[in-house]
Amino acid sequence: MENKQASSFIFGIIAIIVGSALYKEFDFENLKFKNIGLGIIYLVVFVFSVYILVKNYKNKVRK
């Protein structure tokens, strides 16, 4: 149980940091990423961390 709480906390921190970096990397005027490669990497990591958080939350609710 402690391991899942620790992983949720870690992935939560990762999601916050990468999400803010992704927000800064996106150019809202042109609706593009400033650096496309970096934006894609940020997006993949952000989606993965949010997926892990949702998965852990659903398992916690079911129990």
Side-chain angles (χ1 to χ4, degrees):
M1 186 69 172
E2 291 177 19
N3 190 16
K4 287 188 179 184
Q5 289 177 348
S7 67
S8 293
F9 178 74
I10 291 170
F11 280 110
I13 297 297
I14 290 171
I16 291 170
I17 292 171
V18 174
S20 67
L22 185 64
Y23 180 77
K24 291 178 183 176
E25 187 66 30
F26 192 72
D27 182 16
F28 289 100
E29 186 175 312
N30 297 326
L31 299 176
K32 292 182 181 178
F33 288 113
K34 295 175 186 172
N35 187 348
I36 294 173
L38 190 60
I40 291 171
I41 291 172
Y42 283 160
L43 186 63
V44 168
V45 172
F46 180 73
V47 169
F48 178 74
S49 62
V50 170
Y51 170 76
I52 295 295
L53 287 172
V54 170
K55 182 179 157 187
N56 285 344
Y57 179 73
K58 284 185 178 180
N59 287 340
K60 188 177 181 182
V61 170
R62 288 184 184 172
K63 290 183 179 181

